[in-house]
Amino acid sequence: MIERVARQSQIQQVPDAGKRAAAGGFAMALQAELTRAGQEVQFSKHAMSRAEERGIEITPSLIDQIKGSMVRAQAKGATNILAMDTEKAFIINVPHGRVITAITQDEMKDSVFTNIDGAVFL
């Protein structure tokens, strides 16, 4: 009898656990894919110096956005992408997980981006 009650409480707990997993499902799947692929974001010396001189702060949140952009671009077969939002942009070599350069909004206005095969919004 006690065993049956214990099983029923476990069964009742499973849907709640499933809801929690579903709520964070995409984030967990994304993190698992990044870990599986060993995909880490690296900044070239050029990109680091450009970000510093242009006042672009590299935060953990920004790194996560860049990783997400790389995963989405890789799924579409892109190798060199422009990842951008309204304030900043990055040229990224997807297969190597390397940020090549960082650009601010002011510099984007008159820029022409070449040798890219995709664009992703952060």
Side-chain angles (χ1 to χ4, degrees):
M1 179 80 161
I2 295 173
E3 188 176 331
R4 186 179 305 160
V5 172
R7 276 193 224 144
Q8 285 178 342
S9 68
Q10 288 174 347
I11 291 170
Q12 290 172 353
Q13 291 174 359
V14 171
D16 293 338
K19 288 177 185 175
R20 285 192 303 266
F26 177 75
M28 290 174 21
L30 176 62
Q31 187 60 42
E33 179 63 24
L34 290 171
T35 302
R36 184 185 66 76
Q39 190 77 319
E40 291 297 322
V41 176
Q42 300 173 356
F43 283 75
S44 67
K45 289 181 182 179
H46 174 79
M48 287 302 291
S49 66
R50 291 290 187 242
E52 185 177 329
E53 71 187 37
R54 294 171 176 161
I56 298 172
E57 185 179 354
I58 308 300
T59 63
S61 173
L62 179 61
I63 297 291
D64 288 343
Q65 289 177 322
I66 290 172
K67 283 181 184 180
S69 297
M70 289 171 26
V71 169
R72 291 184 292 163
Q74 190 172 31
K76 295 289 186 177
T79 56
N80 292 299
I81 63 167
L82 170 68
M84 62 183 288
D85 65 10
T86 58
E87 300 172 2
K88 58 197 163 298
F90 303 92
I91 302 293
I92 305 168
N93 178 273
V94 175
H96 293 105
R98 182 175 296 269
V99 177
I100 305 301
T101 195
I103 306 154
T104 61
Q105 180 183 21
D106 293 334
E107 296 165 323
M108 282 190 265
K109 291 178 183 175
D110 296 324
S111 294
V112 174
F113 301 101
T114 60
N115 297 327
I116 61 169
D117 58 1
V120 180
F121 291 101
L122 296 172

